[in-house]
Amino acid sequence: MADPEGKSEASSDQIPGPSVVLIEDEPQIRRFLRAALTGHGYRLFEAGSGEDGLIEAATRQPDLVILDLGLPDLDGLGVLARLREWTSVPVIVLSARGQERDKIAALDGGADDYVSKPFSVGELLARMRAALRRRDQVREGAAATTFVVGDLSVDLAGRHVLVGDKEIHLTPIEYKLLTTLIRHAGKVLTHRQLLKEVWGPAHTEDSQNLRFYVAQLRRKLEAVPARPRYLLTEPGVGYRLAAES
């Protein structure tokens, strides 16, 4: 949809690459992201309201959506819920709402990631690459049989975990927690999401147990557990497994 400058997309016909719908009501942020994303090969389509963003997403069928929560007509969480009624397109929430409850609500509501304003372009681009990689893996039917980041290597078929040349023994729960994080590498998983996937829906409030097993994994996988390189914490929200060294 047209913004106040009369532009609904930025050079989308000339630039190859993944298509992105940006749903953001602040013109200055749209201008900033227009330059940054098209400069990195993305095709960008813009909307300044929730309703226009839903129309753009339905019309363009993008590879990824960037969604602000503070829109003038609809709450961003409502836009997310309506998107999830019909599409599994990766959605990255970009918002000034930095409260833990807002992040948890967005991630539990189906967002693939959450980036707080103010933000760095490098961080946003890394989150976008990770979301697109996960989408491609789903389309191909399965993730790669080996996950590698830094010195950490996990042979998912053989159930072998290596840090450098050293094989690491994990308990069944530790291994299930690690492979759950690997399936979503680069994405923040909330405490509730991890507890549900690893322990089942009856254990979604047992955050203390989750923290214990995360600490166990860090002791086995990290060179300095207090300064983790792989298993990262999103304070008050959940955990993320690094997808890039």
Side-chain angles (χ1 to χ4, degrees), residues 190-236:
T190 66
H191 298 139
R192 179 180 293 272
Q193 288 170 333
L194 280 168
L195 287 163
K196 183 177 179 181
E197 287 204 35
V198 178
W199 282 273
H203 299 271
T204 55
E205 303 302 323
D206 196 0
S207 294
Q208 185 174 352
N209 198 33
L210 175 60
R211 285 193 291 272
F212 170 80
Y213 278 97
V214 168
Q216 290 289 93
L217 272 180
R218 282 177 171 157
R219 277 194 285 272
K220 293 182 177 183
L221 303 181
E222 302 282 1
V224 184
R227 296 196 299 275
R229 176 183 179 187
Y230 307 120
L231 185 46
L232 308 176
T233 298
E234 185 74 19

Side-chain angles (χ1 to χ4, degrees), residues 31 43 47 53 65 105 143 149 159 176 182 199 206 225 232:
R31 285 194 295 271
R43 293 175 293 140
V65 171
V149 59
R159 299 175 67 91
K176 188 173 182 182
I182 287 172
W199 282 273
D206 196 0
L232 308 176

Side-chain angles (χ1 to χ4, degrees), residues 111-130:
D112 290 76
D113 215 332
Y114 192 112
V115 177
S116 298
K117 298 176 182 176
F119 62 94
S120 75
V121 170
E123 178 187 13
L124 178 61
L125 289 170
R127 304 285 182 90
M128 292 170 67
R129 289 193 299 270

Side-chain angles (χ1 to χ4, degrees), residues 148-176:
V148 179
V149 59
D151 292 330
L152 174 62
S153 175
V154 183
D155 176 356
L156 297 167
R159 299 175 67 91
H160 296 297
V161 179
L162 299 174
V163 175
D165 296 327
K166 180 183 178 182
E167 183 154 6
I168 307 298
H169 172 72
L170 300 181
T171 68
I173 287 291
E174 290 167 352
Y175 185 77
K176 188 173 182 182

Side-chain angles (χ1 to χ4, degrees), residues 69-121:
L69 294 184
L71 299 168
D73 56 340
L74 301 173
D75 183 79
L77 292 177
V79 174
L80 176 61
R82 287 173 62 178
L83 284 170
R84 285 294 174 249
E85 290 175 357
W86 62 272
T87 180
S88 59
V89 63
V91 176
I92 295 179
V93 167
L94 184 65
S95 178
R97 297 183 192 174
Q99 297 289 331
E100 291 173 4
R101 63 177 179 271
D102 296 312
K103 294 181 180 181
I104 292 169
L107 293 165
D108 282 344
D112 290 76
D113 215 332
Y114 192 112
V115 177
S116 298
K117 298 176 182 176
F119 62 94
S120 75
V121 170

